[in-house]
Amino acid sequence: MDKVADIASDIGEYIRQQRSSAKISLRQLSKLAGVSNPYLSQIERGVRKPSAEILQQIAKGLRISAEALYVQAGILDLPTGGPVGDAIRADAELTERQKQVLLDVYESFRRENAAVNTAPKTTQDTTEESA
C-alpha cells in the first residue's frame, strides 16, 4: 500500500513541477484538462492516484506527452534515452511529431555507438591504440 501512496505522491509532484514550468495555475490546468479543481489538487498533493485517462487529459492540458506521465505513474516502463529523452519529451515547445523525430535520431546514434563499442577489435585497432 505504501508503494501506491509513493507513486501517487511522485506523479502529483511531477504534475505540479510541469505545471509550474509551464506557468499555469492549478485552476487553468483544471480547465484545460477538463478535471475538477479539487480533484487536480488532490492528485498534486498525492491524495489521489489518477487513472490513465485522467493522466492523458492532464498531459494534453500541460502540452506534454501522456507517455511521460504514464512513466511517472508507473503505468509504463521508463523509455530508453535517459535524461536526454526525458528532456525531449518534456519540451512544451515541440510538437509530438518533432519529439518523435528527435528521439528516433538520438536512439539511432546510441545504437550506432553501442555497435561500435561492442564490435570486436581488429589487429589494426589494437595497434593504433598502443601507438
Side-chain angles (χ1 to χ4, degrees):
M1 190 67 165
D2 288 338
K3 187 174 182 178
V4 171
D6 288 345
I7 290 171
S9 177
D10 291 347
I11 187 64
E13 181 60 31
Y14 182 77
I15 290 169
R16 180 182 292 133
Q17 288 171 354
Q18 293 300 311
R19 182 174 58 77
S20 294
S21 295
K23 295 181 176 35
I24 299 173
S25 72
L26 186 70
R27 191 173 305 264
Q28 289 171 316
L29 180 56
S30 169
K31 286 183 180 180
L32 290 169
V35 177
S36 77
N37 196 40
Y39 184 60
L40 184 56
S41 175
Q42 290 173 346
I43 292 170
E44 284 194 359
R45 289 182 284 129
V47 175
R48 300 257 185 177
K49 184 175 185 243
S51 67
E53 293 82 16
I54 296 295
L55 288 174
Q56 186 173 18
Q57 289 173 243
I58 293 170
K60 188 182 255 186
L62 288 170
R63 293 186 172 176
I64 64 172
S65 86
E67 182 183 56
L69 289 182
Y70 293 160
V71 168
Q72 287 294 319
I75 296 171
L76 287 179
D77 291 332
L78 183 64
T80 59
V84 173
D86 292 345
I88 292 169
R89 286 181 197 89
D91 191 327
E93 295 184 20
L94 298 175
T95 66
E96 290 301 315
R97 173 83 175 116
Q98 290 168 331
K99 290 176 188 181
Q100 192 56 55
V101 169
L102 280 172
L103 289 168
D104 290 347
V105 169
Y106 179 65
E107 284 304 315
S108 73
F109 287 147
R110 289 174 52 100
R111 282 191 302 274
E112 183 180 313
N113 289 342
V116 168
N117 292 335
T118 59
K121 295 214 180 239
T122 64
T123 308
Q124 184 177 0
D125 292 340
T126 311
T127 308
E128 288 174 2
E129 284 179 2
S130 60

